[in-house]
Amino acid sequence: MANIDEGFYSRQLYVLGHEAMHRMGTASVLVAGMRGLGVEIAKNVILSGVKSVTIQDEGVAQWTDLSSQFFLNESSVGQNRALCSLQQLRALNPHVQVNQHTGTLNQELLLQFQVVVLTDSSLDDQKRFGDFCHSNGIQFIVADTKGLCGQLFCDFGEAFEVLDQDGETPESVLIQKISQGNPGIVICSDDQRHGFKDGSRVIFSEVQGMTELNSLGPVEIKERGSFSFSIGDTSTFSKYERGGIVTEVKEPRTIHFKSLSQTLTLDPELLTTNDFGKIDRHKTLHLAFQALHAFVEKEQRLPRPHCQSDADVILRTVRDLNEDVKLENLDEAAVRTFSFTAQGDLAPLNAFIAGLAAQEVIKACSRKFMPLKQWFYYDALECLPEDDIQVDESLFSLKGSRYDGQIAVFGSDFQEKLGRQKYFLVGAGAIGCELLKNFALIGLGAGEEGHITVTDMDHIEKSNLNRQFLFRSQDIGKPKSEVAARAVKAMNPQMNITAHQNRLASESEQVYNYHFFSKLNGAAAALDNVEARAYLDACCVAHKKPMLEGGTLGSKGHTLVVVPHLTESYGPAKSSSKKEIPLCTLKNFPHRIEHTLQWARDQFEGIFKHTPENVMMYLRDEDFVNGTLGRGEVEALQIFEEVWSGLLELSSGGKRPQAWEDCVKWARLQWETLFHNDIQQLLHCFPHDELTSHGLPFWSGTKRCPHPLTFDPNNVTHMDYIVTAANLYGQTYGISGSTDRALTREILEKVTVPEFTPQSLKIPVTDEEMENEKENEEAEKLKELKQKLSSLSLKTLMIEMFPVDFEKDDDTNFHMDYITAASNLRAENYDIPAVDRHESKRIAGRIIPAIATTTAAVSGLMCLELYKLVQGHKNIKSYRTAFVNLAVMYFVLSLPSRAKPFTVAGKKFTLWDDFLVEGRRSGGQEMTLEQLIQFVKEMCDLEVCSLVYGRSLIYNGQEDRLKQSVSELIKMVTKAELPPHKNMLELFPSFTEDEDCELVPRIRYLLL
């Protein structure tokens, strides 16, 4: 891959990085078997961007394949699976060559590939080809699913070098102090935990005084706490003075693998644990899969669904294998269930196992992330009915249906129940596309009574194509929900699906109201922000509907299932865990690239967006001046200065340009102010040898001593700033710009830059000082600007400004180029290592890293929980929440948290308990407040003493309000009409028996 298409691979690049992607671009991969699991793996690998993928399958499509193979349809039955899938796989990624092979697998074929993946293969083939690949340096992966159980195996050879074990950014912190001693103690600045572990290796830089550390190679550390660690003997080193950065060093690691044949005998060290609800199940499955292979080899078929005699045969084989292994906790019940369901082929399980398998392919090709060592087993047997009852085998027989692979596991009655479901999917992005694909394959809402509603307000962009696999390049610019709905309808024409482009929030409440939610069986959140998840969760709690929720962050993913009357909900939106950057840090004392990028983003928003907006508001709004004064003197002064300078021409002392030359002149003077004059002023107030009141160096720890820059037209970054700033500034005034640097340099030669003269002023060191300083701004200046702006003559100016909205994904709009240049220049001021445009885009654009493998795995886990919801499981032990990190094959599957009880006057409630009240019974007259209070009294023997609606106290014992209807009372108190679509009112009572209770059951008051 000579050149990486950053527009296409944008989000994945933040997971893998350019070097790993270049290595992947040289790799050829073989995926053998094009049933549901194989096509899922091929899809994910093709999207990831290897050089080539060859799909191999000798077999023809059968009805059972349609339950999980999304590139097959009814007309494919009887045709070769690889040929039927080829064109659609090629359409996924124009940068990857996709080939097919319909002949048998042989050693000559395997030698053409760096990675070989076997699916739907015999144990003999796995051993034979596994041994061959092991001895020929070919990375070898086996993936298999049978019913509700899956397995994955990796062998990357005798010595496989991993260049980056976890993919995390190396930790880097500032130093506060280093002791002379044995061992030397390093104390880090107190604004950030160091994040190192015992045995981490680090290097030092920019240390003053104890400069010997700067020339040392990687040093092993021992953790002493969150802000300190010890190193080797520093007793003979020079005394530490100030400064310094300590940075983690990532070193390659060589992993040694055994061949598949060598690992068939159970070795617990080579089995990855994942589900803490069934800690030893994977050991039993290791034997069960081998027993299944023996059964198929002998009988030339899989065991029949729910056939006791076939299960007996497999169980005897497992017992025989256990004679050598001697498992103490052999799970014989799981072996029987495994046999009963082995003929099944389920899309959700394939999605999960394929996500993991494709991630292992990426590791093999890129040498990034820790490979699986070496077996992984997973089962979701708890998806089956909780009641262990005798079933009729005929319910599981094949019917020549596209759902045969699913009916073999759950039976025809359950399939009909799936078809009747009505589900609401919020989000049609990466996870949303995968969920819709799974919904189509399992037949969710595909019956006569069923229906899927999907909403997403976004339109398709190029960066979506790398992981939102339902979209193609010709779909760019179209609504996500409409394209996704059309794509899955093509997969399964029986799908009943409606696409909306609404944002789920209070403004769409007239659409997604009580009537809408009351008809649903559940909802799924495929969202990228906490606020929207919390809003959907609140709707589901209010209407007693289950919710599936999942999310990803690079190689990490999580799932959550919310079950009414059983589990906790997602809960209200939490405040961001990320600390806000202090204003004084941004303004004067940055010490990380994140600080300079945020500063550059603030510059962009202030100059190119907020100022034009304020100027236009001033020109259009007669009450702008008085309205702005109402925002406080400090903010008003800043806005008035921006507006005044935006109105006056450059020649009159303002900042309004008349031509392109003026824009370049403004950019040059702005450069001088930001990167030279402001720094000179700061150093005038705090010289480099400044001491604090305690006699310590002022410039130490997180305060990095800056230096001013001198403009150089031959410096690329200097000119980047001038060109991008001038063009953006011109855009705000409707002036055409230019990227001709020679012309720009000619203009710059004519610009006179005034000499800087330092001023006597106090620069605040903390946010508190900054606030106090703001309060002392000159009132006279504000008064003068108010008078100027109140002049009617200014209102007649024929000026129009055009605010610029930040857009990170358009490489031609100068936005990210400006922010990168501005940030790196400020970083140079403070000797902070610069970052390239790609990394600047991630940080300043607040981009969430994403990759198709994690998305597929998470969606699979969510849909396995969906099976349980449709089954109607009541036992919390049947459900699972999950956290996975595919980079290091870390899995935590655990029981969801039970809904926490609270007590009111000795009575127990949970968040699922409330008082549902029909305000108008049988369409009659609305009840009064007195009747509502009496209703609650009869229901739970509690006396309502006060009621709150929103932020308004509508009742607090006032007898004159008892005879009013509830809705009229709300209108009277809030002085606002209730929207006509508002058919459920949420009221919070207090009770006489327990007035101080913090948590109370809500009153859901229906107006129907």
Side-chain angles (χ1 to χ4, degrees):
M1 190 183 295
N3 295 307
I4 297 173
D5 185 344
E6 293 194 359
F8 184 86
Y9 293 113
S10 168
R11 305 308 186 255
Q12 180 178 291
L13 275 166
Y14 295 117
V15 182
L16 298 175
H18 285 77
E19 292 183 7
M21 284 288 294
H22 278 297
R23 287 191 290 271
M24 286 173 57
T26 66
S28 296
V29 179
L30 172 68
V31 180
M34 277 295 107
R35 301 187 69 194
L37 179 61
V39 78
E40 279 276 6
I41 296 171
K43 174 204 69 175
N44 295 333
V45 173
I46 291 167
L47 288 172
S48 74
V50 295
K51 178 183 178 182
S52 72
V53 172
T54 297
I55 55 173
Q56 182 274 339
D57 200 319
E58 296 176 75
V60 297
Q62 303 170 0
W63 280 107
T64 51
D65 295 328
L66 301 189
S67 63
S68 65
Q69 220 284 24
F70 44 83
F71 285 154
L72 299 180
N73 53 42
E74 284 85 345
S75 64
S76 305
V77 175
Q79 300 184 49
N80 180 272
R81 285 184 288 250
L83 291 176
C84 290
S85 307
L86 183 63
Q87 294 306 319
Q88 295 188 75
L89 286 170
R90 281 178 173 168
L92 290 172
N93 189 342
H95 307 292
V96 177
Q97 181 181 348
V98 182
N99 307 307
Q100 54 78 22
H101 180 79
T102 57
T104 58
L105 287 179
N106 56 66
Q107 295 179 354
E108 185 179 350
L109 176 68
L110 266 56
L111 286 171
Q112 301 174 30
F113 301 98
Q114 181 178 333
V115 184
V116 170
V117 184
L118 297 190
T119 70
D120 195 29
S121 54
S122 69
L123 184 58
D124 283 345
D125 279 353
Q126 293 173 13
K127 292 191 288 187
R128 179 162 56 95
F129 292 126
D131 289 343
F132 177 79
C133 288
H134 187 85
S135 59
N136 284 274
I138 301 169
Q139 279 78 58
F140 181 68
I141 298 170
V142 172
D144 200 5
T145 58
K146 292 291 184 286
L148 286 161
C149 300
Q151 72 173 172
L152 183 63
F153 170 80
C154 291
D155 169 17
F156 290 178
E158 294 286 349
F160 180 80
E161 185 182 46
V162 180
L163 300 177
D164 182 347
Q165 296 178 48
D166 59 14
E168 300 293 338
T169 303
E171 297 285 351
S172 181
V173 291
L174 298 174
I175 297 168
Q176 190 75 38
K177 184 180 179 182
I178 306 175
S179 68
Q180 287 176 300
N182 188 10
I185 308 299
V186 179
I187 299 175
C188 305
S189 62
D190 58 6
D191 76 323
Q192 183 187 13
R193 299 173 187 272
H194 59 63
F196 301 135
K197 302 172 184 175
D198 278 352
S200 293
R201 294 170 69 80
V202 300
I203 56 172
F204 292 84
S205 59
E206 300 184 29
V207 176
Q208 298 182 38
M210 196 179 285
T211 55
E212 295 90 339
L213 287 175
N214 295 330
S215 57
L216 286 181
V219 177
E220 189 170 307
I221 66 107
K222 185 173 180 61
E223 183 188 4
R224 293 173 57 90
S226 298
F227 299 95
S228 65
F229 57 88
S230 63
I231 53 178
D233 187 357
T234 61
S235 58
T236 61
F237 290 177
S238 307
K239 185 179 180 181
Y240 173 80
E241 293 178 6
R242 63 179 173 185
I245 302 171
V246 58
T247 304
E248 179 186 17
V249 175
K250 291 202 165 189
E251 297 184 324
R253 179 179 170 186
T254 300
I255 312 296
H256 306 285
F257 290 85
K258 295 180 179 179
S259 68
L260 185 141
S261 300
Q262 294 172 308
T263 62
L264 288 174
T265 302
L266 185 66
D267 180 354
E269 294 297 316
L270 298 181
L271 269 67
T272 301
T273 304
N274 56 76
D275 192 327
F276 292 95
K278 35 195 174 183
I279 198 72
D280 288 323
R281 178 74 59 80
H282 57 302
K283 298 175 184 176
T284 296
L285 289 176
H286 188 69
L287 304 182
F289 268 90
Q290 293 181 52
L292 180 67
H293 281 296
F295 181 94
V296 172
E297 183 180 11
K298 181 180 179 182
E299 303 292 337
Q300 294 299 298
R301 64 172 175 85
L302 287 165
R304 290 184 291 267
H306 292 269
C307 176
Q308 292 289 349
S309 59
D310 286 353
D312 289 340
V313 173
I314 289 180
L315 181 57
R316 281 197 296 272
T317 306
V318 169
R319 287 170 177 165
D320 291 342
L321 292 169
N322 197 40
E323 288 294 320
D324 296 326
V325 176
K326 295 182 171 50
L327 282 182
E328 293 182 7
N329 299 312
L330 184 67
D331 193 337
E332 295 194 353
V335 174
R336 284 192 175 278
T337 308
F338 173 65
S339 175
F340 290 162
T341 58
Q343 202 174 106
D345 189 13
L346 302 177
L349 185 64
N350 285 336
F352 176 60
I353 296 296
L356 274 57
Q359 187 71 46
E360 296 306 302
V361 173
I362 291 171
K363 295 174 186 178
C365 298
S366 68
R367 291 192 289 157
K368 184 163 187 172
F369 304 138
M370 182 60 67
L372 169 66
K373 191 77 184 302
Q374 289 183 257
W375 286 99
F376 175 88
Y377 288 93
Y378 172 82
D379 78 86
L381 297 179
E382 63 277 3
C383 291
L384 296 168
E386 290 177 327
D387 299 326
D388 188 14
I389 57 175
Q390 194 72 26
V391 295
D392 183 354
E393 284 187 39
S394 65
L395 292 174
F396 303 88
S397 60
L398 304 185
K399 295 176 170 53
S401 157
R402 65 175 300 117
Y403 306 118
D404 274 353
Q406 189 163 255
I407 291 171
V409 176
F410 296 112
S412 55
D413 288 350
F414 181 75
Q415 187 61 53
E416 291 177 7
K417 191 174 182 181
L418 276 170
R420 294 193 297 269
Q421 296 295 297
K422 297 179 179 66
Y423 257 76
F424 182 32
L425 173 61
V426 187
I431 292 178
C433 282
E434 291 286 339
L435 287 176
L436 283 172
K437 174 258 296 177
N438 291 339
F439 290 174
L441 292 171
I442 70 176
L444 186 76
E448 289 185 9
E449 302 172 29
H451 194 269
I452 304 295
T453 302
V454 56
T455 188
D456 194 308
M457 60 185 290
D458 289 340
H459 290 69
I460 298 165
E461 300 174 355
K462 184 178 180 181
S463 62
N464 301 146
L465 304 182
N466 172 239
R467 64 201 183 285
Q468 300 175 21
F469 90 106
L470 297 180
F471 308 144
R472 303 291 180 266
S473 57
Q474 61 267 29
D475 298 321
I476 292 173
K478 297 177 183 177
K480 286 185 176 181
S481 57
E482 287 186 2
V483 175
R486 191 164 56 247
V488 295
K489 183 80 172 174
M491 280 183 189
N492 182 353
Q494 299 171 11
M495 284 284 285
N496 304 307
I497 185 167
T498 301
H500 294 172
Q501 287 85 53
N502 301 317
R503 178 173 177 262
L504 183 68
S506 55
E507 60 259 34
S508 59
E509 191 177 15
Q510 70 271 24
V511 180
Y512 309 117
N513 53 21
Y514 174 79
H515 289 293
F516 177 82
F517 274 95
S518 63
K519 296 174 183 177
L520 294 177
N521 296 102
L527 294 154
D528 60 2
N529 68 87
V530 171
E531 291 74 22
R533 288 185 180 114
Y535 185 89
L536 177 61
D537 174 71
C539 292
C540 289
V541 171
H543 298 92
K544 309 290 191 299
K545 302 298 178 182
M547 184 183 82
L548 297 162
E549 190 273 326
T552 68
L553 178 65
S555 62
K556 303 182 185 74
H558 76 271
T559 65
L560 174 72
V561 57
V562 176
V563 188
H565 307 291
L566 189 63
T567 71
E568 272 288 5
S569 71
Y570 181 85
K574 317 285 193 305
S575 58
S576 174
S577 59
K578 290 189 176 181
K579 291 173 63 178
E580 291 291 325
I581 303 172
L583 290 176
C584 64
T585 299
L586 288 176
K587 187 171 177 61
N588 296 313
F589 308 114
H591 54 270
R592 302 178 66 85
I593 197 65
E594 290 83 356
H595 302 159
T596 65
L597 280 164
Q598 183 61 55
W599 174 87
R601 177 75 186 269
D602 291 346
Q603 289 283 317
F604 180 98
E605 297 288 340
I607 298 170
F608 308 124
K609 185 174 190 294
H610 297 154
T611 295
E613 285 176 342
N614 288 327
V615 168
M616 295 313 296
M617 286 174 63
Y618 163 74
L619 294 173
R620 292 170 180 170
D621 184 359
E622 293 183 1
D623 197 42
F624 173 81
V625 173
N626 291 330
T628 303
L629 286 170
R631 295 162 70 170
E633 290 188 357
V634 175
E635 189 173 354
L637 178 61
Q638 180 183 345
I639 292 172
F640 287 167
E641 286 178 332
E642 292 170 355
V643 171
W644 179 250
S645 63
L647 293 169
L648 287 186
E649 295 180 11
L650 279 172
S651 57
S652 302
K655 295 183 179 179
R656 179 159 64 95
Q658 297 296 300
W660 168 243
E661 290 76 11
D662 291 340
C663 297
V664 175
K665 178 181 179 181
W666 170 86
R668 175 64 184 89
L669 296 177
Q670 186 78 355
W671 191 101
E672 196 71 15
T673 298
L674 296 176
F675 308 115
H676 183 272
N677 296 354
D678 287 353
I679 302 300
Q680 287 279 52
Q681 181 64 55
L682 185 61
L683 290 172
H684 175 74
C685 296
F686 302 109
H688 70 91
D689 55 358
E690 178 83 359
L691 299 177
T692 67
S693 58
H694 299 290
L696 299 173
F698 176 84
W699 295 107
S700 65
T702 59
K703 290 188 177 67
R704 299 172 70 85
C705 186
H707 64 273
L709 305 183
T710 301
F711 183 75
D712 178 4
N714 295 313
N715 185 298
V716 174
T717 308
H718 293 200
M719 285 299 289
D720 283 347
Y721 180 87
I722 298 296
V723 171
T724 57
N727 273 278
L728 288 167
Y729 200 64
Q731 288 176 24
T732 64
Y733 286 93
I735 296 173
S736 298
S738 171
T739 56
D740 186 336
R741 298 204 171 202
L743 175 63
T744 303
R745 288 180 66 146
E746 289 179 14
I747 299 171
L748 287 172
E749 290 173 1
K750 302 173 186 176
V751 177
T752 302
V753 180
E755 286 291 323
F756 171 72
T757 304
Q759 302 175 21
S760 296
L761 50 83
K762 180 184 177 184
I763 292 179
V765 176
T766 65
D767 279 7
E768 291 76 14
E769 288 183 12
M770 187 171 286
E771 287 299 318
N772 294 335
E773 191 71 20
K774 286 179 179 178
E775 293 173 4
N776 296 328
E777 292 277 3
E778 297 179 24
E780 280 301 315
K781 195 171 185 181
L782 182 63
K783 183 179 179 181
E784 178 188 348
L785 281 169
K786 178 187 174 184
Q787 290 174 344
K788 289 179 177 179
L789 292 172
S790 297
S791 167
L792 291 176
S793 61
L794 286 173
K795 296 283 187 177
T796 63
L797 287 172
M798 298 299 292
I799 296 174
E800 187 170 9
M801 291 193 71
F802 306 92
V804 177
D805 290 314
F806 176 68
E807 171 49 59
K808 59 185 177 291
D809 286 321
D810 183 349
D811 292 340
T812 66
N813 63 10
F814 301 108
H815 297 191
M816 275 313 308
D817 299 298
Y818 169 84
I819 286 174
T820 302
S823 169
N824 284 340
L825 287 169
R826 188 162 176 82
E828 187 181 349
N829 279 139
Y830 286 86
D831 292 316
I832 298 169
V835 295
D836 61 17
R837 184 184 188 278
H838 183 71
E839 182 64 6
S840 297
K841 179 177 172 179
R842 180 188 71 81
I843 299 170
R846 303 179 182 97
I847 289 175
I848 300 173
I851 190 167
T853 50
T854 316
T855 303
V858 163
S859 72
L861 290 173
M862 291 173 71
C863 288
L864 289 168
E865 296 305 303
L866 173 62
Y867 281 147
K868 303 169 189 178
L869 291 173
V870 176
Q871 292 277 20
H873 285 353
K874 303 298 182 186
N875 188 341
I876 199 167
K877 292 182 179 179
S878 297
Y879 293 97
R880 293 292 184 273
T881 62
F883 174 79
V884 302
N885 185 349
L886 304 193
V888 293
M889 290 302 281
Y890 175 76
F891 302 88
V892 177
L893 277 75
S894 57
L895 304 186
S897 299
R898 193 178 290 276
K900 295 177 183 176
F902 57 87
T903 304
V904 179
K907 303 177 190 296
K908 283 192 174 181
F909 300 91
T910 73
L911 81 159
W912 296 104
D913 295 312
D914 58 30
F915 305 109
L916 186 64
V917 184
E918 292 184 25
R920 297 189 186 98
R921 296 190 178 182
S922 303
Q925 189 175 358
E926 185 185 346
M927 67 168 52
T928 64
L929 175 61
E930 185 176 41
Q931 290 171 323
L932 173 62
I933 293 173
Q934 182 60 31
F935 179 87
V936 174
K937 176 74 172 176
E938 291 172 0
M939 281 190 69
C940 65
D941 197 27
L942 291 172
E943 187 76 37
V944 174
C945 60
S946 67
L947 272 178
V948 173
Y949 173 75
R951 297 183 178 180
S952 301
L953 180 64
I954 64 170
Y955 172 68
N956 193 22
Q958 300 98 325
E959 290 189 11
D960 60 325
R961 297 185 178 182
L962 292 174
K963 300 299 182 183
Q964 289 183 266
S965 71
V966 175
S967 61
E968 288 299 326
L969 181 57
I970 290 173
K971 293 176 192 175
M972 182 190 78
V973 174
T974 62
K975 296 180 174 58
E977 291 291 323
L978 285 171
H981 63 266
K982 194 85 171 177
N983 44 34
M984 177 187 276
L985 307 179
E986 192 174 68
L987 307 172
F988 291 85
S990 290
F991 301 103
T992 304
E993 294 84 353
D994 198 346
E995 290 189 49
D996 298 326
C997 187
E998 292 185 8
L999 296 174
V1000 293
R1002 306 171 189 189
I1003 297 174
R1004 314 283 185 186
Y1005 186 79
L1006 297 180
L1007 288 172
L1008 301 175

